[in-house]
Amino acid sequence: MRIKEEFAHVIKQQLEGQWDRRKIEWMIEKPKHEHMGDLAFPCFELAKAFRKSPKMIAEELSEKISASFIEKVEAIGGYVNVFLNREMITTEVMAEILAAQENYGKAIFGNGKVITVDFSSPNIAKPFSMGHLRSTVIGHSLSLIAEKCGYNPVKINHIGDWGTQFGKLITAYRLWGDEETVKKEPIKELLKLYVQFHEEAKENPDLEEQGRNWFKKLEEGHEEAISLWTWFRDESLKEFGKIYDKLGITFDSQAGEAFYNDKMKRVVELLEYKGVLVESEGAKVVPFEGMPPCLIKKRDGSTLYATRDLAAAMYRQKKYGFAKSLYVVGSEQSLHFKQLFAVLRKIGCEWEQGMAHVPFGMMLKDGKKMSTRKGKVVLLDEVLEEAVYQAMKNINDKNPHLEDKEEVARHVGTGAVIFHDLKHFRLHDVEFSLEDMLTFEGETGPYIQYTHARASSLLRKGRFNDSQQYTSAMEDSSAWPVVVSLMQFPDVIKRSFDAYDPSQVAKYVVELARAFNHYYGSVRILDDPEQIQSRLSLVHSVKIVLKEGLRLLGMEAPEKM
């Protein structure tokens, strides 16, 4: 039951003029204190249109509003506050969850349209560091949330396998590399060579020119350059695959930048045909007003990120016919995407309106950005291994006879790392802290997973039969905050998608877990034979929603911990 939607509809019926129901719904708040009601509608924006004070408008509206789901209406200051019919709401919300199961909160506004989600996109020949975690888990969660909203997500891993850095790496390997050493630990050794190149280049600037020349040879199909590049790419994809397996992430496409090499010439020709490409100091650019020009071709004829991303956007539109296309890429690339979308608009690609850059803050270490070229990275694989180790240690201390404890430790440890990232609003920077990540209390993944396991345990002990319909109203007043939280889940999913913000789901599951644990601590759920079925129906509802919330974040929900 979407109460905010229903309440917005009731308010709209009482308002004169073209007040949009969706805007009314967006304006509805939750009162700061429980004694002030369950929902509140602020009347301040209406004051100008009605030429009355917000307080007077609230008083007039409160006298007109009535609905079966509303118990009482009060005008408090400039707000219309409503108290919901708890018995009716509890019955309907739980009946809806128990009937829908994991489909509770599913929306259809996506109408089966395609949404491409470009995320993760690590560079080959470099380790998968904690710096790559943000794009990976945010993008994966958004693709799951989009699917929940009725879209058909296409998950794209746009591998960074092209560019001047590969000319630099080839130069470094030819100068200092050893084939046997690289074969033993490819990513570790290639990173060492990449870091050495930048250290040596400080004293010998000619190395930069050598790097550019080898990339030019790579673009021209030079046999040795292609052979080394292919080797570096194959080894990298093997290592990346191990990380994605641990995170439970799959992709529909892993076509990297190099895939678009044969498609860029047509992009340049199209830009010339449309008359938007001009020459500037020997390079070719698309100029704009109020924004730096978009560089399409360098003076030496080599291509850039923008050229490849234009080719990729056109290819994806032709292949998938997307309605929306998301790029989950760090905030530092905001100008690049503004330019990319502006070029597409300039040449008349109307489908550009469905494209969006989803920026996020940096993963910091000691307050500073992690840097691959300086060798200052924390490897994601090592963090995941440590997290799983700590989870196993915790299980051995507290529940050594737990069944399948290796699998549970993997789910809990990996979930701790994912949740630590996703609980932050994506635009905020995140300070890397292994200690905070692995805390098994408070606003953490393990806390949510443990709450789910606790609910599962109660259902087993109470021999809950989910085929039996919930019939009786609960007499537990402490259950109401849990019901209110359950009722909010569909709205949270919609808001998360609209804002491209998985942290709203993460914060929601924390609130639901807290409400449930408070209920668990104040009511002996299994002790009253007359109330046990209705109480367990509530427990089962919580279990369903917690599990689905965790799934939308890309996490598992263990039955036992």
Side-chain angles (χ1 to χ4, degrees), residues 69-135:
F69 62 88
I70 296 175
E71 187 77 36
K72 185 173 70 170
V73 185
E74 287 182 353
I76 303 176
Y79 290 85
V80 176
N81 288 24
V82 298
F83 296 77
L84 299 175
N85 182 326
R86 294 188 174 189
E87 185 175 330
M88 175 189 169
I89 298 295
T90 299
T91 302
E92 291 198 13
V93 168
M94 286 169 55
E96 185 178 348
I97 295 171
L98 296 175
Q101 297 286 312
E102 69 274 7
N103 288 319
Y104 178 61
K106 189 173 179 63
I108 58 171
F109 61 82
N111 293 318
K113 294 175 183 175
V114 171
I115 180 170
T116 59
V117 187
D118 180 328
F119 67 101
S120 193
S121 308
N123 292 325
I124 66 168
K126 293 182 186 177
F128 204 119
S129 73
M130 282 299 294
H132 296 104
L133 177 69
R134 304 223 66 199
S135 174

Side-chain angles (χ1 to χ4, degrees), residues 267-280 283-287 294-297 310 343 346-347:
V267 169
V268 176
E269 289 172 350
L270 176 62
L271 296 179
E272 286 176 335
Y273 173 74
K274 293 283 187 177
V276 301
L277 202 61
V278 300
E279 192 166 309
S280 174
K284 292 194 173 182
V285 305
V286 176
C294 183
L295 188 56
I296 301 298
K297 231 176 181 183
L310 285 166
V343 171
K346 209 165 187 178
I347 61 174

Side-chain angles (χ1 to χ4, degrees), residues 23-88:
K23 184 179 180 182
I24 294 170
E25 185 180 340
W26 178 81
M27 291 166 67
I28 293 169
E29 303 172 5
K30 183 180 178 182
K32 290 181 181 179
H33 305 289
E34 192 176 334
H35 72 270
M36 298 174 73
D38 299 301
L39 295 172
F41 176 69
C43 300
F44 304 97
E45 280 195 41
L46 308 183
K48 188 176 180 181
F50 288 96
R51 297 184 179 181
K52 296 177 182 177
S53 70
K55 184 174 183 291
M56 188 178 292
I57 296 170
E59 287 171 353
E60 290 176 0
L61 274 176
S62 65
E63 291 173 4
K64 297 176 184 177
I65 287 173
S66 66
S68 60
F69 62 88
I70 296 175
E71 187 77 36
K72 185 173 70 170
V73 185
E74 287 182 353
I76 303 176
Y79 290 85
V80 176
N81 288 24
V82 298
F83 296 77
L84 299 175
N85 182 326
R86 294 188 174 189
E87 185 175 330
M88 175 189 169

Side-chain angles (χ1 to χ4, degrees), residues 200-213:
E200 298 277 349
K202 291 176 185 176
E203 305 297 326
N204 181 10
D206 289 344
L207 283 173
E208 294 283 355
E209 186 62 30
Q210 289 183 48
R212 284 191 288 271
N213 289 338

Side-chain angles (χ1 to χ4, degrees), residues 259-309:
F259 176 78
Y260 300 99
N261 280 347
D262 63 351
K263 299 167 181 61
M264 288 185 287
K265 183 181 177 184
R266 278 170 287 179
V267 169
V268 176
E269 289 172 350
L270 176 62
L271 296 179
E272 286 176 335
Y273 173 74
K274 293 283 187 177
V276 301
L277 202 61
V278 300
E279 192 166 309
S280 174
E281 299 179 7
K284 292 194 173 182
V285 305
V286 176
F288 303 108
E289 284 186 22
M291 183 166 59
C294 183
L295 188 56
I296 301 298
K297 231 176 181 183
K298 290 183 184 177
R299 190 182 304 172
D300 63 4
S302 59
T303 54
L304 293 103
Y305 287 123
T307 328
R308 289 189 280 278
D309 278 351

Side-chain angles (χ1 to χ4, degrees), residues 171-182 189 193 196:
T171 302
Y173 177 77
R174 293 182 79 255
L175 288 172
W176 312 299
D178 175 74
E179 185 177 354
E180 290 306 313
T181 308
V182 173
E189 289 303 316
L193 289 169
Q196 185 177 351

Side-chain angles (χ1 to χ4, degrees), residues 473-479 528 530-531 534-535:
M474 282 181 296
E475 297 171 4
D476 311 322
S477 60
S478 56
D528 186 340
E530 292 184 9
Q531 287 283 304
S534 59
R535 287 173 176 173

Side-chain angles (χ1 to χ4, degrees), residues 266-460:
R266 278 170 287 179
V267 169
V268 176
E269 289 172 350
L270 176 62
L271 296 179
E272 286 176 335
Y273 173 74
K274 293 283 187 177
V276 301
L277 202 61
V278 300
E279 192 166 309
S280 174
E281 299 179 7
K284 292 194 173 182
V285 305
V286 176
F288 303 108
E289 284 186 22
M291 183 166 59
C294 183
L295 188 56
I296 301 298
K297 231 176 181 183
K298 290 183 184 177
R299 190 182 304 172
D300 63 4
S302 59
T303 54
L304 293 103
Y305 287 123
T307 328
R308 289 189 280 278
D309 278 351
L310 285 166
M314 292 175 187
Y315 173 83
R316 291 170 188 174
Q317 174 58 217
K318 185 176 180 181
K319 182 175 176 65
Y320 303 115
F322 60 75
K324 288 182 178 290
S325 182
L326 308 184
Y327 293 83
V328 186
V329 182
S331 299
E332 63 270 22
Q333 293 297 320
S334 291
L335 175 61
H336 166 74
F337 286 103
K338 284 178 184 174
Q339 292 174 325
L340 176 69
F341 302 156
V343 171
L344 291 168
R345 277 197 304 277
K346 209 165 187 178
I347 61 174
C349 298
E350 293 182 3
W351 42 266
E352 172 273 333
Q353 294 175 14
M355 299 174 73
H357 174 213
V358 181
F360 53 86
M362 294 183 288
M363 179 71 74
L364 305 176
K365 188 172 188 294
D366 301 323
K368 297 178 182 177
K369 181 182 178 181
M370 297 180 185
S371 171
T372 306
R373 68 172 58 186
K374 293 179 182 176
K376 293 181 179 179
V377 294
V378 176
L379 302 184
L380 177 57
D381 194 39
E382 292 179 2
V383 172
L384 290 173
E385 284 185 10
E386 178 64 20
V388 173
Y389 169 78
Q390 291 293 342
M392 177 60 81
K393 187 177 175 184
N394 201 40
I395 290 168
N396 284 332
D397 288 345
K398 296 180 178 178
N399 193 4
H401 304 297
L402 178 69
E403 298 170 22
D404 303 318
K405 60 183 179 180
E406 290 81 8
E407 184 179 69
V408 174
R410 183 166 52 82
H411 291 164
V412 172
T414 304
V417 176
I418 293 171
F419 194 85
H420 181 265
D421 189 297
L422 293 182
K423 73 179 181 181
H424 295 92
F425 176 50
R426 60 175 168 78
L427 286 174
H428 294 165
D429 293 337
V430 177
E431 179 68 36
F432 170 75
S433 168
L434 197 57
E435 185 180 350
D436 289 349
M437 210 173 276
L438 300 176
T439 299
F440 288 77
E441 295 174 0
E443 293 184 10
T444 67
Y447 171 71
I448 313 302
Q449 290 171 316
Y450 181 70
T451 303
H452 175 271
R454 170 176 277 172
S456 301
S457 174
L458 281 168
L459 294 171
R460 287 193 299 273

